[in-house]
Amino acid sequence: MWTGVHYPSDILAGALIGAVCAVGVHQFIRSRKLPGIFMQAAIIFYEKWEQKLGLKPGEQARTKMTEHTSSVQMKSRR
């Protein structure tokens, strides 16, 4: 649409097709156990790699950050 290649109806049709596909995939995964198990395994795998790459702090670091944040919040409330 920006460069004059697509009409607004093309954009709306693409959005509608994308929304229908997303709802269909969501319903498929919720209705069956096996895809849900694979999705859960994929999320766990992704989170482990995220921690290995240093993109996400581990549990101990998260606990320390939470303790620090809560102590800062307590000081600011006084």
Side-chain angles (χ1 to χ4, degrees):
M1 198 162 110
W2 181 264
T3 60
V5 177
H6 297 286
Y7 290 104
S9 60
D10 295 340
I11 307 300
L12 293 174
L16 181 63
I17 290 170
V20 168
C21 288
V23 169
V25 168
H26 180 74
Q27 291 298 325
F28 175 77
I29 289 174
R30 288 191 70 196
S31 67
R32 294 177 175 64
K33 285 185 178 182
L34 192 57
I37 292 169
F38 284 128
M39 285 296 271
Q40 197 66 20
I43 290 170
I44 291 169
F45 175 77
Y46 175 77
E47 287 181 348
K48 285 183 181 181
W49 272 101
E50 211 175 21
Q51 286 179 357
K52 285 183 181 181
L53 294 173
L55 301 175
K56 184 177 177 182
E59 289 297 323
Q60 293 176 346
R62 187 179 303 143
T63 304
K64 288 179 184 177
M65 286 190 318
T66 306
E67 289 172 0
H68 175 69
T69 304
S70 61
S71 65
V72 170
Q73 289 174 347
M74 293 301 286
K75 288 178 185 177
S76 66
R77 291 181 185 170
R78 290 181 191 171

